[in-house]
């Protein structure tokens, strides 16, 4: 017979608190992830009617980060709850769903730093507590970790609010721009009227300039799975940065992922963005959750809602993308045609200028012959009739041995018109001998619309 105490001997699921805390904290590897945890707490846990304002101070030199909010603050008992790893979210329990869900955000500081100090005021009472990595490391057991109390429920005139100080940051420097950018992306659809400042910069999300916007809704089976949601598809006026491309997926205003659902890297996908809010993704009762404690900004494709959502987004993103590709092809073809037309016009101009110059040179050469005069005027003054060697019209011989350009041996191309060996003549004034006759054809005298085309 055993004399063991059945209660003490039973098997329980328990947790090693110190290891749990540090492993949860390990998910917050960068300053922006850490800052966002405390900023989102500050924005969410406010008294009714308060417009949330959160100030973030990043001090690379002092290796510290401070996040101050005008939220509801925490009582002694709230603080006890604050330090419960994976604690139930009180607001959710009371039907107020929001960003907070897992109860691990408080550990974020230890992802990058060694000290977490919380100074919080509620209803005129201020409490300051501190937790250090050395206290956590010192835990040789699974037992709860004692938190150092610096001040307890001290009477104060300070309004409600909390200041979280993250000290002894182990990062080489703090990435202010990265933090701002990350907060701004998250604020894109956060409830209106919230303000966040990072080192005095007010975070504001500016969406890329939109060329076209369309709204689509799921039908039938996909509506049954993802709900009555609205997909907003936008085409940007110019290619957008890679991290802004795609459809931002939210659940009750909380940003979970941005995806092109398979169209990544495809032609014209760099112009597509948009958003969709799917409240169902926040359903905690599904066997396979749609997102997890890692805040990886990636949804779980094994979740039914996520799978259906990806399908829905993919179809419509591809539709928009194909239309853009088609539009771009037409635009390019039109531009190419215009370019070719301009090129042809340029060539035409060069040829015609050359030809004019050649004609002038010939005319000047004729004019230099003794007894001749500048025939440019004569040529210009004739009616453009071609003259052949003959005896009817006044003409001068411009070449005694035959016409230019016909079968003069150049290149040996056979088959052309045989060369005319008569002297070449041009019309002249009455004083010239009658050495020409009308051919009946027009000379190649270029006027408007004539010449090389
Ligand atoms: N700045 C704050 N002001 C008032 N209450 C706060 C503040 N920060 C946290 N709390 C309270 O402490 C609890 C624990 O915060 P924590 O961030 O660890 O978890 P959570 O916000 O519930 O969930 P998640 O881990 O998903 O962020 C919150 O649920 C909230 O009740
Ligand atoms: Mg939180």
């Amino acid at each position: 017979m055993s004399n063991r105490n059945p209660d003490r001997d039973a098997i329980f699921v328990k947790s090693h608190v110190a290891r749990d805390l540090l492993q949860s904290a390990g998910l917050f590897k960068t300053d922006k992830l850490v800052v966002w945890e405390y900023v989102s707490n500050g924005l969410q846990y406010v008294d009714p009617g308060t417009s949330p304002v959160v100030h973030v101070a990043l001090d690379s030199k002092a290796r510290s980060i401070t996040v101050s909010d005008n939220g509801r603050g925490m009582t002694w008992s709230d603080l006890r709850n604050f330090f419960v790893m994976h604690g139930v979210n009180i607001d959710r329990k009371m039907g107020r769903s929001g960003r907070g869900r897992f109860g691990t955000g408080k550990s974020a500081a230890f992802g990058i730093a060694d000290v977490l100090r919380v100074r919080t005021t509620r209803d005129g009472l201020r409490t300051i507590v501190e937790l250090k990595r050395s206290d956590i490391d010192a835990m040789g057991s699974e037992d709860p970790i004692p938190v150092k109390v610096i001040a307890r429920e001290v009477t104060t005139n300070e309004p409600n609010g909390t200041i979280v100080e993250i000290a002894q940051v182990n990062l080489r420097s703090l990435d202010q721009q990265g933090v701002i950018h990350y907060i701004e992306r998250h604020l894109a659809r956060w409830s209106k009227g919230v303000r966040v400042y990072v080192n005095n910069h007010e975070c504001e999300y500016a969406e890329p300039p939109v060329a076209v916007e369309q709204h689509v809704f799921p039908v039938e089976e996909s509506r049954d799975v993802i709900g009555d949601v609205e997909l907003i598809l936008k085409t940007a006026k110019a290619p957008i940065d890679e991290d802004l491309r795609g459809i931002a997926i939210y659940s009750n205003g909380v940003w979970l992922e941005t995806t092109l659902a398979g169209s990544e890297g495809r032609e014209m996908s760099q112009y597509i963005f948009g958003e969709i809010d799917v409240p169902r993704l926040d359903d905690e009762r599904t066997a396979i959750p749609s997102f997890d404690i890692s805040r990886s900004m990636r949804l779980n494709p094994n979740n039914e809602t996520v799978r259906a959502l990806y399908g829905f987004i993919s179809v419509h993103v591809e539709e928009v993308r194909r239309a853009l590709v088609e539009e771009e092809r037409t635009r390019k073809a039109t531009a190419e045609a215009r370019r070719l037309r301009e090129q042809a016009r340029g060539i035409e101009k060069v040829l015609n200028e050359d030809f004019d110059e050649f004609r002038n040179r010939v005319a000047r050469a004729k004019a230099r012959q003794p007894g001749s005069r500048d025939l440019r005027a004569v040529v210009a003054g004739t009616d453009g009739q071609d003259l052949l060697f003959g005896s009817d019209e006044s003409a001068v011989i411009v070449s005694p041995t035959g016409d230019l350009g016909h079968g003069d041996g150049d290149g040996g191309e056979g088959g052309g018109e045989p060369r005319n060996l008569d002297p070449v003549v041009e019309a002249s004034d009455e004083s010239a001998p009658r050495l020409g006759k009308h051919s009946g054809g027009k000379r190649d005298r270029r006027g408007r619309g004539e010449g090389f085309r």
Side-chain angles (χ1 to χ4, degrees), residues 36-38 40-42 44-45 82 89 99-106 295:
W36 177 243
E37 281 310 310
Y38 299 104
S40 62
N41 281 351
Q44 184 181 357
Y45 306 121
F82 175 84
N89 184 292
R99 162 59 166 65
R101 171 162 167 166
F102 299 109
T104 52
K106 84 267 293 169
R295 281 83 153 162

Side-chain angles (χ1 to χ4, degrees), residues 5-58:
N5 178 336
D7 279 348
R8 292 191 61 189
D9 203 32
I11 299 175
F12 295 97
V13 176
K14 289 167 67 184
S15 183
H16 190 298
V17 184
R19 287 170 59 83
D20 183 353
L21 176 72
L22 291 178
Q23 284 172 19
S24 296
L27 296 169
F28 306 96
K29 294 185 178 69
T30 58
D31 43 6
K32 63 182 184 188
L33 294 176
V34 172
V35 170
W36 177 243
E37 281 310 310
Y38 299 104
V39 169
S40 62
N41 281 351
L43 294 175
Q44 184 181 357
Y45 306 121
V46 293
D47 290 314
T50 304
S51 297
V53 183
V54 174
H55 287 267
V56 179
L58 302 174

